[in-house]
Amino acid sequence: MSKYVDSILEKLKLQNPNEPEFIQAATEILSSLKIVFDKNPEYEKASLLERFLEPERVIMFRIPWVDDNGKPQVNKGYRVQFNSALGGYKGGLRLHPSVNLSILKFLGLEQILKNSLTGLPIGGGKGGSNFDPKGKSDNEIMRFCQSMMTELYRHIGADTDVPAGDIGVGAREIGFMFGQYKRIANEHVAVLTGRGLSYGGSLARKQATGFGLVYLVEEMLKTKLNTSFKGKNVVVSGSGNVAIYASEKVHELGGNVVALSDSSGYIYDEKGINLEHIKQIKEVDRKRINEYLKYVPTAKFFENGCIWTVKCDVALPCATQNELLIDGAKALIANGVIAVGEGANMPTTLEATDEFLAAKVLFAPGKAANAGGVATSALEMAQSSQRLFWSFEEVDAKLKTIMENIFHNIDDTSTKFGLENNFVAGANIFGFEKVAEAMLAQGVV
Ligand code: NDP
Ligand code: 2IT
């Protein structure tokens, strides 16, 4: 095993002592890459890992805004421009009270490899704020987004860095941010993706992460077990953008989503969750998940339970990092789960991931399984550049092909390196090799 990789990880821990999520993501990636560094001594000579693990640039700034009572408020703003070897920085903005530099560096690091896996020319970045959108009025959200963009606009650009949505950032927030960018920069360009359809957005971007997740897992089920979603019971955590459209595609393919959650608890509906009610509650009313019981009184709400104790064939964690712990993994395995697909970024802890791999549960890691969102963002940029937009069916077909290709690339890579069915390793290695090649070609920068 590569001593170089081990020594870099030790150094990383010493140099970033307060960044547990960043260290967690790096630990997983580096454990997959040892084999690559053993085979490519020129990578070590070029200090490639040291450079790969240090963001090219981190911007931190103040976001002052005025609440509805006239009181000034201040939040922290960040943009991590991690790696531009493959293209301009690309990655979402997250608005959640938990946001800090560690979380954004882990997300940025994952994004580099994810974006590489898409096969499209996009580098890796991530940003956000510790602003909590919950309970804020539309006007407060607008003032916050405008203030955030008033600083961010000078660091981003259609060929430099193109942010998009993530937790807490959907169509409403992208609209407010785009409006402010356009006003300051005086240019109507693809500086954000996930834009509304009336001002440069792409059809199917809203659905893309969830649909893409299900396309990839369907391909994995077909290739490895000669089966499909049809007739399967599925548990999906979260009830935001990714969870809703993953569930919609599962239903379309004949599966049955029986549980969904938010940070207040989870709902269980053995007849299959009615997604029209969920869309009303989450996308329109912005309410809590137990509202579902008002529409479907036979459903159950669990405030303090663990959603992973619900029996299912396929589990799709689509909420947030570290939401699927070892006990959840054990419960899923005991209940006969056959596949796990990560819609969220790093939802499964390192221990839980090892548990799934040891139990031979098919495990599709987030950087591969949720790449459909950013891939479709890149398709949005392509459409904007040519000032011509494709139909829903065209974008959806491209998305499906991209996800199927990602699955086969990570599957073939894991086999090539003697790690058959370890798609964590397959994704890390396949994603990294392209970035490494581009970094080597571009010299010491
Ligand atoms: P949304 O804001 O639309 O939804 C997030 C969901 O997760 C909500 O149900 C939320 O519940 C729940 N959640 C968030 N944080 C926590 C927490 N700390 N504890 C418990 N539940 C939580 O976000 P998205 O659906 O866009 O994102 C979900 C995941 O998918 C994230 O990991 C994101 O990084 C990843 N992702 C998103 C992509 C996209 O295109 N949007 C692309 C690729 C990955 P509540 O409302 O109660 O907070
Ligand atoms: O984690 C992710 O890939 C996203 N939040 C989507 C990023 C994007 O640029 O579309």
Side-chain angles (χ1 to χ4, degrees):
M1 285 297 175
S2 170
K3 276 201 198 122
Y4 169 59
V5 175
D6 285 337
S7 73
I8 294 299
L9 185 58
E10 283 319 304
K11 221 159 83 186
L12 197 73
K13 288 178 185 166
L14 286 174
Q15 289 177 350
N16 303 279
N18 300 315
E19 299 183 0
E21 293 86 1
F22 177 55
I23 297 298
Q24 181 184 340
T27 301
E28 185 218 270
I29 292 168
L30 295 197
S31 69
S32 302
L33 293 184
K34 285 181 179 174
I35 196 165
V36 177
F37 278 81
D38 284 342
K39 284 194 175 163
N40 296 283
E42 74 275 17
Y43 287 179
E44 180 176 348
K45 280 198 203 118
S47 303
L48 205 63
L49 262 191
E50 289 92 322
R51 289 194 275 143
F52 175 70
L53 292 166
E54 196 62 41
E56 290 173 13
R57 191 175 298 106
V58 175
I59 300 140
M60 294 173 65
F61 52 98
R62 176 171 76 198
I63 308 179
W65 56 281
V66 179
D67 70 19
D68 285 347
N69 298 320
K71 178 97 176 77
Q73 302 286 342
V74 179
N75 286 99
K76 290 176 183 292
Y78 308 83
R79 186 72 182 165
V80 178
Q81 298 182 329
F82 218 125
N83 191 299
S84 61
L86 301 184
Y89 310 107
K90 183 81 196 86
L93 293 172
R94 177 176 290 192
L95 299 184
H96 193 275
S98 64
V99 163
N100 58 35
L101 192 55
S102 171
I103 288 176
L104 295 178
K105 280 176 68 182
F106 116 65
L107 288 163
L109 185 63
E110 288 283 294
Q111 199 82 43
I112 302 168
L113 299 183
K114 181 194 308 194
N115 293 3
S116 170
L117 288 171
T118 67
L120 298 163
I122 38 181
K126 199 87 191 189
S129 170
N130 62 352
F131 175 78
D132 185 358
K134 278 200 196 84
K136 303 289 191 298
S137 70
D138 282 355
N139 275 329
E140 288 177 325
I141 298 283
M142 182 177 74
R143 288 194 292 271
F144 171 82
C145 289
Q146 290 178 339
S147 181
M148 185 169 191
M149 186 52 80
T150 299
E151 174 60 33
L152 205 54
Y153 93 95
R154 69 187 83 244
H155 308 290
I156 64 177
D159 289 314
T160 307
D161 183 356
V162 180
D166 194 80
I167 291 177
V169 176
R172 174 181 62 170
E173 293 73 21
I174 293 291
F176 292 147
M177 288 188 205
F178 184 78
Q180 184 73 349
Y181 179 87
K182 184 171 65 67
R183 187 176 188 201
I184 300 175
N186 193 26
E187 52 178 29
H188 196 298
V189 294
V191 73
L192 291 161
T193 57
R195 284 167 290 154
L197 298 176
S198 56
Y199 63 95
S202 172
L203 285 160
R205 174 61 188 90
K206 182 174 72 173
Q207 294 84 354
T209 310
F211 278 23
L213 166 68
V214 175
Y215 291 145
L216 184 136
V217 174
E218 178 87 344
E219 190 67 11
M220 177 170 79
L221 290 171
K222 184 174 98 184
T223 309
K224 295 293 163 181
L225 297 174
N226 196 24
T227 185
S228 71
F229 269 103
K230 193 157 198 245
K232 302 282 188 299
N233 275 339
V234 181
V235 166
V236 180
S237 65
S239 48
N241 174 263
V242 181
I244 289 175
Y245 293 96
S247 301
E248 188 166 292
K249 186 52 76 175
V250 168
H251 284 173
E252 245 178 80
L253 295 180
N256 196 29
V257 175
V258 292
L260 279 177
S261 65
D262 66 14
S263 59
S264 70
Y266 75 88
I267 52 164
Y268 175 72
D269 184 348
E270 65 177 344
K271 293 199 288 290
I273 305 263
N274 180 319
L275 292 171
E276 291 318 306
H277 299 328
I278 295 291
K279 285 182 191 173
Q280 180 65 37
I281 295 164
K282 289 293 173 185
E283 295 184 338
V284 182
D285 302 338
R286 299 181 188 273
K287 291 207 167 132
R288 307 278 72 205
I289 197 125
N290 61 354
E291 290 279 313
Y292 186 77
L293 271 59
K294 291 192 181 151
Y295 296 90
V296 183
T298 51
K300 295 192 174 78
F301 173 66
F302 297 86
E303 194 174 346
N304 294 314
C306 168
I307 193 171
W308 309 119
T309 60
V310 176
K311 186 174 163 54
C312 64
D313 304 301
V314 179
L316 303 176
C318 295
T320 192
Q321 67 275 354
N322 292 329
E323 53 158 324
L324 205 178
L325 314 182
I326 184 87
D327 288 349
K330 285 185 173 154
L332 284 166
I333 293 166
N335 280 328
V337 75
I338 60 170
V340 176
E342 294 188 318
N345 285 306
M346 205 171 75
T348 315
T349 61
L350 292 171
E351 298 75 29
T353 304
D354 288 343
E355 193 77 15
F356 287 128
L357 294 178
K360 304 216 177 312
V361 172
L362 294 176
F363 182 84
K367 64 175 70 68
N370 70 40
V374 75
T376 307
S377 281
L379 300 180
E380 179 174 328
M381 291 160 73
Q383 293 169 85
S384 295
S385 297
Q386 59 172 3
R387 272 80 173 162
L388 274 179
F389 290 83
W390 305 324
S391 68
F392 187 96
E393 289 70 26
E394 274 176 283
V395 181
D396 189 37
K398 285 183 169 60
L399 168 65
K400 187 159 185 275
T401 305
I402 290 169
M403 299 314 294
E404 290 169 358
N405 285 342
I406 292 176
F407 175 70
H408 290 293
N409 285 333
I410 65 175
D411 183 26
D412 293 350
T413 303
S414 61
T415 305
K416 184 171 124 194
F417 282 83
L419 297 161
E420 203 171 352
N421 292 341
N422 182 339
F423 309 129
V424 175
N428 286 329
I429 295 170
F430 189 80
F432 182 75
E433 282 189 323
K434 194 167 144 201
V435 178
E437 196 187 308
M439 286 179 71
L440 279 186
Q442 292 170 23
V444 180
V445 289

